[in-house]
Amino acid sequence: KRKRGSRARIEERLAQRAKLKNSKKLHAVPCFAALGDEAIERMIDCMSYETRVKGDVVCVQGDVADAFYVVCTGRCKVSIVLPSQEQEADSEIDPASREDKSMQVKVGMIEIGDHFGNIAFETDPESGSATLRNATVTVESATCELLVLSRKH
């Protein structure tokens, strides 16, 4: 009994330390800076922790935005797809018959402490439906640890 009790206490302390560590990361995010510790702790209870590896696509431009991310370790590349000038000039041509000549362009980097995906909690003012991702985010470092707040919560 004693071993189980002490192990449970150790696990609880480790969980509390992890929450405190994540809390500090969330306080550093500008949109959460004004929140109190209790509100941050409730958010952390709703968040999951993901580890991704280099090349993993976290989210894709045009997909439904369903989660908000905070980068705990690592870095990610942000890119957008732009139609080629030829494609714009051929706009009268049926899109199904046109070759995909779009270009993926790097527009930024997301580093430790940065966040992305806040659009997941916005809705289209006209339709009330979820908004779409504005960019594709891909893991650039060997590994990347993310705190994830899903729209479902």
Side-chain angles (χ1 to χ4, degrees):
K1 282 186 176 181
R2 230 179 186 176
K3 285 185 180 181
R4 286 185 192 171
S6 64
R7 183 177 180 165
R9 281 195 305 273
I10 290 170
E11 288 175 0
E12 178 62 28
R13 283 188 210 142
L14 290 172
Q16 288 175 349
R17 286 182 186 158
K19 276 189 174 185
L20 179 62
K21 186 177 178 183
N22 292 337
S23 158
K24 289 178 181 174
K25 287 180 170 88
L26 287 180
H27 275 298
V29 176
C31 60
F32 300 136
L35 294 178
D37 290 338
E38 189 175 316
I40 293 287
E41 190 169 320
R42 277 190 247 139
M43 281 185 63
I44 290 170
D45 288 340
C46 295
M47 297 179 101
S48 61
Y49 199 75
E50 293 182 7
T51 301
R52 302 290 190 98
V53 296
K54 185 174 181 129
D56 280 358
V57 176
V58 180
C59 60
V60 177
Q61 179 180 353
D63 284 356
V64 172
D66 61 354
F68 171 82
Y69 301 87
V70 177
V71 177
C72 298
T73 65
R75 69 181 180 281
C76 298
K77 173 181 73 171
V78 181
S79 59
I80 59 172
V81 175
L82 298 174
S84 70
Q85 291 179 351
E86 286 177 35
Q87 200 170 10
E88 288 175 2
D90 295 340
S91 60
E92 301 85 36
I93 298 173
D94 177 25
S97 66
R98 204 179 331 145
E99 286 184 40
D100 184 15
K101 298 176 184 173
S102 55
M103 293 178 23
Q104 190 158 8
V105 179
K106 178 180 169 182
V107 293
M109 293 296 288
I110 301 171
E111 306 279 342
I112 295 171
D114 291 341
H115 65 281
F116 61 97
N118 47 312
I119 198 166
F121 297 103
E122 299 173 12
T123 55
D124 183 292
E126 292 180 20
S127 69
S129 61
T131 54
L132 302 179
R133 296 277 180 205
N134 294 321
T136 297
V137 178
T138 308
V139 175
E140 186 85 354
S141 55
T143 61
C144 182
E145 294 177 344
L146 303 163
L147 277 174
V148 184
L149 181 59
S150 170
R151 186 179 173 107
K152 296 173 189 166
H153 284 101

